Amino acid sequence: MSKSHEYRLEGLSCTNCAAKFVKNIEEIPGVEAVDLNFGAAKLNVAGSVTVEQLEAAGKFDHIKVRPANERITQRTHFYKDKANLPFAVALVLFVIGFVLSHIFGEDIWYVHGLFILTIITGGYSLFKEGLSQLFKLNFDMNVLMTVAITGATLIGEMYEGAMVVLLFSISEALETYAMEKSRNSIQSLIDLSPEVALKLVGNNYQETPVEALAIGDIVRILPGKKVPIDGIVLCGQSNVNQASITGESIPVVKSENDTVFSGTLNESAQLDIRVTKRSHETKLAQMIHLVEEAQSKKAPTQQFVDRFAKYYTPLIILIALLVIVVPSLFGGDFKHYLYQGLSVLVIGCPCALVVSTPVAIVTAIGSAARNGILIKGGVHLENAGRIDTVAFDKTGTLTKGEPVVVERVDLVDLSKEDLNVAYSLEKDAGHPLSKAIVDSLKDQRFVDITDYEVVTAHGVQAIFRGTKYRIGKRKFFNINESDAHIIDNIERPGATKVLFGTENMVKAIFFIQDTLRDEAESVINALNQQGIDTIMLTGDYRDVADAICTKLAIKHAHSELLPEDKLKLIKDYQAQQHHIAMVGDGVNDAPALVQADVGFSMGGAATDTAIETADITFMKDDLSDLPKVIQLSKRALKIIKQNISFALALKLIAILLVIPGWLTLWIAIFADMGATLLVTLNSLRLIKK
């Protein structure tokens, strides 16, 4: 297959139009494959095709096409867009006709002529597409509107036919505007990254397109400028605002060997960095790709609506035919019921129903992305709102993953020399517990020790001035029964004991504990208040797990687990009909994250593995995002249900107006336009939080 070319679209407002657009592109000679992402307004075409050919394929809906790497320098104002000229002319003709009809009456030929010109001018593209689809027996929105407006004109209702054309055009414009607004989250992410960078060439820095940067290039970032590419700081120290990646507004200090990300803002000083990722591989590019992919995946509710819409339109046509035929057979006024039937066709347009779900999903996912939360699809967004149980990994999720010495119990008077030996034993041991002890003894100095040995599963030993010193577990020491009894009774709930002393005598006990995240307690409280069960899955010892669960008010603790044990427990909860989420660090928790109904990952801005593994990733590594996502999901589900209910209820009420004969074409188009606009505006409420 030929190389695929990526494009971005403007003006794509409805799923039916998207399907028609794809079909038109597939008919272009040289095109091999087409993939259109409606939510992100992104198009991939394999084969030979030009932008002009693509725009010709989308001319029926005024779709604009541009290469994906081409930035929007200036948007065309509505009143300057040539595509809106027919509407402007139609509006002028209608206003003139409306004024003359109130002065001279509606039955004058030139008033009828003005309304007919309004219909032809404003509805030309609609009729062209509608007739094309009618001949193919594809009864879409354009067909319904074409038949209704043509029928109204033929029975002498030119005024209402012209009114319907104008209101339909306004409805389409508002729908397009609303969809573009819901996609702004993607465009705002794309616009974060600069197009050029200051690259070191020889002894000078030259402006270079970001796409041309290679791994290993040296780039200078001036204060007040955005970081153009992912890299590692070579020299300089500055405050960098990472809100675009993590959602945090508080700047982070970046200095030598720290990682910086494309799209973040260098606030205070000059930085020189070495490029570590190509432009299409950066964290920002990865975020954009994930959000766009998420918006293309249909949520269960959207899949249901799409299936329902296939049966809905033929049903409306059948109702319209019954309204026209049945009363007429029993002596009713055929012209009156023909008019009523045409009005039913207008009210039957499925626009509001079709956009009720995707606009809400696209808006919610985009809103979350701007706040450093990556949701990989509508299905995960919906599932998050149905969670009744949350399983937490311990290390790196509920805790910071940084053990610290919380207490030291000296069994003898420790000399300065003893502390120096303990420091020297642990200095290069490489174990997380060793680092905690070294940090607690940071004022000590390294001394010359010999015969240094790391004893697996026991600890570390070495000789200092003829005496063998050890640091490690209780079983590593050869002590008498009396001393052993005393030491075994010195415990601290939830802490790990590390003993230090000579071969036959324990001199001190270090109690080491992983510190809890600052937000952990408030997050568990928030979940408990929502009626969501909380459990902890950890490979740590039972007493450590129980201590943390007691402190955080987690309801159940499962300890000393291997990754496969965590997976089995997730399956067990699902077998009991629980909707369970797993929150982990995205590496050793991968099996459980994949199995859970929703996998949440504490990714942090630098963890690619976490982003790839989980369904939802917290880019700023903040556990308090968990209840926020659940609330966002519940709000999105609520809004989707409101949209579907409102769209169907409004159409049902309008159709019922047929019974007393009150339904008119302009009421029908107002109802359809109003329903579409209101469900869209209702969905856009998700932008606020």
Side-chain angles (χ1 to χ4, degrees):
M1 184 177 287
S2 301
K3 183 181 177 182
S4 179
H5 301 277
E6 190 173 273
Y7 304 90
R8 296 199 176 274
L9 311 173
E10 291 179 56
L12 187 69
S13 60
C14 74
T15 52
N16 287 335
C17 300
K20 170 65 177 173
F21 184 43
V22 168
K23 194 171 182 181
N24 288 350
I25 295 172
E26 288 173 339
E27 292 172 358
I28 297 173
V31 171
E32 297 175 16
V34 183
D35 179 37
L36 192 149
N37 181 333
F38 174 74
K42 189 172 76 171
L43 176 71
N44 281 286
V45 181
S48 176
V49 69
T50 65
V51 170
E52 290 73 21
Q53 287 176 305
L54 293 174
E55 289 197 336
K59 190 175 181 182
F60 69 94
D61 199 35
H62 309 297
I63 297 170
K64 304 283 178 63
V65 182
R66 61 182 171 84
N69 59 0
E70 183 181 297
R71 304 291 181 95
I72 301 176
T73 54
Q74 188 176 1
R75 293 185 182 276
T76 305
H77 293 292
F78 180 84
Y79 60 87
K80 291 183 179 179
D81 193 339
K82 292 179 180 179
N84 296 318
L85 183 60
F87 170 76
V89 173
L91 182 61
V92 170
L93 291 170
F94 177 80
V95 170
I96 295 171
F98 179 79
V99 171
L100 292 177
S101 69
H102 280 72
I103 297 173
F104 303 107
E106 283 189 31
D107 293 330
I108 301 175
W109 67 270
Y110 51 80
V111 172
H112 284 177
L114 285 168
F115 288 146
I116 290 172
L117 285 174
T118 300
I119 292 170
I120 294 171
T121 307
Y124 174 75
S125 59
L126 168 67
F127 301 147
K128 183 179 176 182
E129 183 62 23
L131 290 171
S132 171
Q133 295 303 309
L134 180 61
F135 290 134
K136 296 175 184 177
L137 299 179
N138 180 20
F139 299 105
D140 65 0
M141 173 186 64
N142 295 303
V143 171
L144 299 183
M145 295 300 298
T146 298
V147 172
I149 295 167
T150 304
T153 305
L154 293 175
I155 62 174
E157 299 290 346
M158 289 83 167
Y159 169 76
E160 295 207 16
M163 175 75 83
V164 168
V165 166
L166 292 176
L167 289 175
F168 179 73
S169 298
I170 294 170
S171 172
E172 289 281 278
L174 289 172
E175 187 179 327
T176 301
Y177 168 78
M179 278 305 301
E180 292 297 329
K181 189 170 179 63
S182 71
R183 293 177 179 131
N184 279 347
S185 55
I186 292 290
Q187 190 59 50
S188 63
L189 287 175
I190 294 168
D191 292 341
L192 283 172
S193 179
E195 294 184 71
V196 295
L198 288 175
K199 174 187 170 183
L200 180 63
V201 180
N203 295 321
N204 299 311
Y205 285 89
Q206 298 178 1
E207 282 197 352
T208 305
V210 172
E211 290 80 7
L213 293 176
I215 294 172
D217 285 346
I218 308 300
V219 171
R220 174 163 290 174
I221 307 156
L222 301 176
K225 298 293 185 179
K226 287 181 179 177
V227 178
I229 198 83
D230 286 9
I232 294 176
V233 177
L234 293 178
C235 64
Q237 179 173 307
S238 179
N239 294 324
V240 176
N241 189 324
Q242 298 190 138
S244 57
I245 299 293
T246 66
E248 290 177 294
S249 58
I250 301 173
V252 178
V253 177
K254 297 287 185 179
S255 56
E256 190 174 340
N257 294 325
D258 286 338
T259 302
V260 292
F261 303 104
S262 172
T264 57
L265 179 64
N266 179 27
E267 291 191 343
S268 53
Q270 179 177 292
L271 292 174
D272 288 348
I273 69 168
R274 176 180 284 115
V275 176
T276 57
K277 299 277 182 73
R278 297 292 299 269
S279 61
H280 63 278
E281 300 169 335
T282 65
K283 190 68 61 182
L284 181 62
Q286 189 179 21
M287 282 177 61
I288 293 168
H289 173 72
L290 285 172
V291 174
E292 288 179 332
E293 289 302 304
Q295 291 179 336
S296 71
K297 295 175 183 175
K298 293 186 177 181
T301 306
Q302 187 175 345
Q303 292 172 355
F304 163 76
V305 168
D306 289 347
R307 288 195 301 269
F308 179 78
K310 288 182 181 179
Y311 302 102
Y312 168 83
T313 304
L315 178 64
I316 289 294
I317 294 173
L318 178 61
I319 292 172
L321 287 173
L322 291 174
V323 168
I324 295 168
V325 174
V326 174
S328 302
L329 291 176
F330 292 93
D333 182 356
F334 175 75
K335 183 179 177 182
H336 170 76
Y337 285 106
L338 174 61
Y339 177 83
Q340 294 285 293
L342 295 174
S343 300
V344 169
L345 287 181
V346 173
I347 196 64
C349 285
C351 299
L353 189 63
V354 171
V355 303
S356 60
T357 303
V359 177
I361 295 294
V362 168
T363 304
I365 290 174
S367 178
R370 287 201 312 275
N371 289 281
I373 302 169
L374 291 186
I375 303 173
K376 288 191 180 178
V379 61
H380 307 308
L381 178 69
E382 285 198 16
N383 286 343
R386 300 188 177 101
I387 290 168
D388 58 41
T389 307
V390 177
F392 292 91
D393 172 48
K394 179 182 75 70
T395 306
T397 301
L398 291 171
T399 66
K400 295 179 181 178
E402 300 171 358
V404 295
V405 174
V406 292
E407 186 180 355
R408 191 184 82 209
V409 177
D410 295 341
L411 302 180
V412 299
D413 288 332
L414 291 178
S415 65
K416 182 79 172 174
E417 191 174 83
D418 287 329
L419 294 174
N420 287 339
V421 171
Y423 176 83
S424 302
L425 286 170
E426 294 288 53
K427 182 73 170 64
D428 298 315
H431 193 279
L433 299 183
S434 301
K435 183 180 183 302
I437 292 172
V438 169
D439 289 343
S440 73
L441 299 173
K442 59 185 176 182
D443 294 330
Q444 308 310 311
R445 66 181 183 85
F446 189 85
V447 293
D448 291 329
I449 52 177
T450 59
D451 298 330
Y452 180 83
E453 182 183 3
V454 177
V455 182
T456 305
H458 283 74
V460 179
Q461 63 181 14
I463 294 174
F464 177 70
R465 293 182 179 176
T467 303
K468 182 176 285 186
Y469 284 87
R470 288 178 172 173
I471 189 164
K473 293 183 177 180
R474 152 77 176 77
K475 60 185 178 182
F476 197 24
F477 293 82
N478 303 318
I479 52 179
N480 60 52
E481 193 173 320
S482 175
D483 289 345
H485 180 72
I486 293 170
I487 290 168
D488 290 344
N489 281 309
I490 302 174
E491 296 289 347
R492 298 294 181 270
T496 301
K497 285 166 65 173
V498 177
L499 282 56
F500 165 72
T502 62
E503 193 172 6
N504 301 311
M505 182 179 72
V506 176
K507 293 188 173 187
I509 303 173
F510 293 90
F511 287 99
I512 302 173
Q513 205 165 21
D514 195 354
T515 51
L516 292 172
R517 287 180 177 268
D518 298 333
E519 71 274 16
E521 190 171 355
S522 62
V523 168
I524 301 300
N525 287 338
L527 295 176
N528 289 338
Q529 287 171 9
Q530 292 179 37
I532 296 174
D533 284 340
T534 51
I535 62 175
M536 186 170 75
L537 310 180
T538 179
D540 213 334
Y541 296 115
R542 182 175 178 178
D543 60 334
V544 175
D546 289 343
I548 289 177
C549 281
T550 301
K551 186 170 184 179
L552 294 179
I554 293 175
K555 295 183 179 179
H556 307 287
H558 301 275
S559 54
E560 301 181 38
L561 302 175
L562 296 171
E564 55 265 34
D565 298 324
K566 293 181 181 181
L567 175 63
K568 182 179 181 302
L569 278 165
I570 295 292
K571 289 180 177 179
D572 289 344
Y573 274 90
Q574 289 174 327
Q576 297 167 25
Q577 305 305 310
H578 286 285
H579 293 280
I580 187 168
M582 176 69 191
V583 188
D585 59 15
V587 184
N588 62 332
D589 297 310
L593 284 168
V594 172
Q595 178 63 38
D597 295 288
V598 185
F600 293 94
S601 180
M602 303 301 299
T607 311
D608 289 341
T609 308
I611 297 172
E612 292 163 6
T613 305
D615 302 318
I616 299 175
T617 301
F618 304 135
M619 293 295 287
K620 61 187 175 204
D621 216 26
D622 188 348
L623 195 60
S624 61
D625 283 335
L626 176 60
K628 292 177 185 175
V629 169
I630 293 173
Q631 285 299 317
L632 175 67
S633 173
K634 289 180 176 178
R635 288 182 68 230
L637 285 172
K638 184 178 178 181
I639 282 175
I640 288 168
K641 289 174 183 175
Q642 289 173 352
N643 287 350
I644 294 171
S645 301
F646 181 78
L648 290 175
L650 193 61
K651 290 180 182 294
L652 179 61
I653 291 168
I655 289 173
L656 290 175
L657 292 178
V658 169
I659 297 171
W662 296 344
L663 183 61
T664 63
L665 280 171
W666 65 267
I667 288 178
I669 191 64
F670 259 123
D672 178 64
M673 180 178 72
T676 303
L677 184 58
L678 286 173
V679 299
T680 305
L681 293 176
N682 192 36
S683 299
L684 292 178
R685 290 194 297 131
L686 290 165
I687 289 177
K688 293 181 180 178
K689 294 184 181 179

